[in-house]
Amino acid sequence: FWNNGTDDILVGTATINSGMAADRAYGTLDIFGRDTDYPEGLSSGLVNGSEVFHRVYLPARGSEFDASPALTFQGGDPFHRHSLAVDLPPTPPPPSPSPEPTASPSATHPPPTPHSPLPILDYNGDGTSDIAIFRPASGLWAVRGVTRAYFGGSGDIPVPGDYTGNGTTDIAIFRPGTGLWALRGVSRVYFGGTGDRPLPRDYRGEGTASIAIFRPASGLWALRGVTRIYFGTSSDLPVPGYYAFLAAVSAIFRPASGLWAIRGITRVYFGGLVDQPVPGDYLGEGVWRPAIFRPSSGLWAVRGVTRVYFGALSDRPVPADYRGIGRDGIAIFRSASGLWAIRGTSRIYFGSAPDIPVVR
């Protein structure tokens, strides 16, 4: 309607049901409305040439939320949208706006869109997940075919991510004893401490990883400079990820019951006590799905997608986009031999028993 390349939300006098999940990704999503006189006799806002008389504003450009409840128009016609991407100007344009050229995205790091590939650990910016390991005893980071560097040491937890938004993954460590986050060539900050699980992700949908921790003892999720929420318990495994477009959201897997609780989106039961959570985008849809790896049998089960057998009891699941095709591939790392087996693609040897794979 405004020729700006994005979907617009058009409603009459709208009522939003209380069940709407209005707290996407990073805290409360404030929703505001703008109303003017609605044309007499219209039962739908989707009328050629009509103006927008009610708008839903989101706190960040391109933010998303689940809107399964209906927005009710004057006249009672419902307009159902299950995933809305809103990008509206702050004030209404003139009734007959002239088309304006759309700015081209950056050539080096385009902003994420609902159909762009999800963030991956890509150490050289070529659009594929790289096979890489961290060796705590020596602080070695070895990225196959890319680089070898020494950063960190015994007791440190690897937390690679794109902290600068330049489209390549930065080497980084979290030191639980002091709460140090050391980002190689970027920064050093203190956030969190002993017992915290470091979980860097792009929680704001801006193309950069945010420093964040999950504190099992209290269920605290703390995103540095963004928000603090409580979600989950000490028996839960944190599985934050891209279950909705654009931004990562907080989520937990509860092995005792198989519960997946994805904050503000859904609660489903999938898997159980002996399973390891391996959520990912296995279809190239631009969103993650709950998935599990069962070491005792080598079962990979992706909810609503597939069940295959690949790997064995001692293998570590390492799903990632190794082919650069916009979806995750099923893969394992066998530390005893250094084997990386990527289903349907390749088998290579890289690393050894003490090494930690750093591909997600």
Side-chain angles (χ1 to χ4, degrees), residues 115 203 205 299 304 319 334:
H115 301 291
Y203 294 96
L299 171 68
R334 188 167 293 164

Side-chain angles (χ1 to χ4, degrees), residues 10 17 24 37 39 67 99-100 111 131 166 191 197 260 290 329 345:
L10 288 84
N17 296 338
R24 298 296 293 139
D37 294 333
E100 296 182 1
I131 290 174
N166 65 356
F191 192 75
R197 297 278 301 273
W260 291 73
T345 303

